[in-house]
Amino acid sequence: GAGVSQSPSNKVTEKGKDVELRCDPISGHTALYWYRQSLGQGLEFLIYFQGNSAPDKSGLPSDRFSAERTGGSVSTLTIQRTQQEDSAVYLCASSPLGVAGGPNEQFFGPGTRLTVL
Amino acid sequence: RKEVEQDPGPFNVPEGATVAFNCTYSNSASQSFFWYRQDCRKEPKLLMSVYSSGNEDGRFTAQLNRASQYISLLIRDSKLSDSATYLCVVRNFNKFYFGSGTKLNVKP
């Protein structure tokens, strides 16, 4: 079946512009996660959704970052007034959390590479 | 203290070698454990889940020691295609914690 998809795959923007990144999780996965990865660094947690609600937004680096999820499916991550330090790969993952007896691993999308000039 | 700690490496090994990676985690209540592989400029992909009894998948063997809060990955007969960064991942309820990764370079 289809995996996690993200769009756009690459985004180049100018400092100060807003950007919107999209994630389509695997159908039926209730949990959705956004991470950020700078070049050569580890994954930085941003936000977690269970259904349409976000019980954990603790990783969002500033109030310029927001995310929503609608219909328990697609999620968008919005970065307002982008700064050069926002340049990174933004990864989305989904998980069938709640499936009894399973390890409930995460499945990642290919990421959006954001470059802020 | 980080939730998950790994030796960053790099581990430089010849083809055919056996190599082992270790990882420790801080929360004894963690429920699930995984090894992911991440190739350069690609997303992480699940290599294998790690079970308490230990598990094997071809050339790969994973072990979990809950008492010591320690996870290991053994790769036998290394191939050039095994070159990647290996991420140790721990799940505690709905949150996943990632190690910073161990880089493996397999050389001809």
Side-chain angles (χ1 to χ4, degrees):
Chain A
V4 179
S5 61
Q6 291 186 247
S7 60
S9 54
N10 280 285
K11 176 72 178 178
V12 180
T13 191
E14 291 179 349
K15 178 181 170 182
K17 302 276 190 184
D18 297 352
V19 295
E20 203 170 86
L21 312 180
R22 177 186 167 109
C23 172
D24 277 273
I26 292 172
S27 177
H29 281 194
T30 57
L32 186 148
Y33 301 79
W34 283 99
Y35 297 89
R36 175 166 78 171
Q37 188 173 34
S38 299
L39 191 63
Q41 303 298 309
L43 271 71
E44 176 188 0
F45 169 78
L46 297 178
I47 187 169
Y48 149 66
F49 287 92
Q50 182 65 36
N52 290 337
S53 64
D56 191 343
K57 305 179 185 180
S58 62
L60 294 178
S62 76
D63 59 8
R64 296 186 296 104
F65 287 72
S66 62
E68 63 175 15
R69 189 179 185 195
T70 53
S73 182
V74 172
S75 175
T76 53
L77 176 70
T78 301
I79 309 173
Q80 295 178 309
R81 303 181 304 281
T82 51
Q83 304 293 313
Q84 287 181 327
E85 61 263 28
D86 300 335
S87 296
V89 176
Y90 289 80
L91 291 161
C92 174
S94 70
S95 176
L97 281 177
V99 173
N104 297 311
E105 64 266 32
Q106 288 185 320
F107 297 84
F108 282 84
T112 293
R113 187 172 302 277
L114 175 66
T115 304
V116 182
L117 300 176
Chain B
R1 185 185 170 188
K2 289 184 182 177
E3 294 277 347
V4 180
E5 305 226 37
Q6 293 182 251
D7 180 346
F11 285 58
N12 298 307
V13 302
E15 270 186 293
T18 296
V19 61
F21 305 138
N22 303 317
C23 159
T24 57
Y25 61 97
S26 61
N27 191 332
S28 60
S30 298
Q31 292 102 42
S32 300
F33 309 89
F34 312 92
W35 284 101
Y36 278 72
R37 170 193 169 128
Q38 187 172 27
D39 292 284
C40 189
R41 299 175 78 86
K42 297 285 192 182
E43 74 273 23
K45 292 188 176 175
L46 179 69
L47 179 65
M48 57 199 303
S49 301
V50 187
Y51 300 105
S52 297
S53 53
N55 47 300
E56 189 174 303
D57 182 1
R59 298 181 293 107
F60 299 85
T61 301
Q63 298 277 353
L64 168 64
N65 184 322
R66 282 190 181 269
S68 302
Q69 294 175 214
Y70 172 97
I71 306 161
S72 66
L73 176 68
L74 183 78
I75 305 175
R76 289 181 301 276
D77 189 24
S78 300
K79 311 290 184 194
L80 295 176
S81 57
D82 294 334
S83 296
T85 297
Y86 290 82
L87 304 172
C88 177
V89 184
V90 172
R91 182 178 70 82
N92 185 16
F93 292 102
N94 295 341
K95 195 106 176 255
F96 291 79
Y97 298 90
F98 288 77
S100 54
T102 298
K103 189 169 175 58
L104 172 65
N105 296 315
V106 181
K107 301 190 178 298

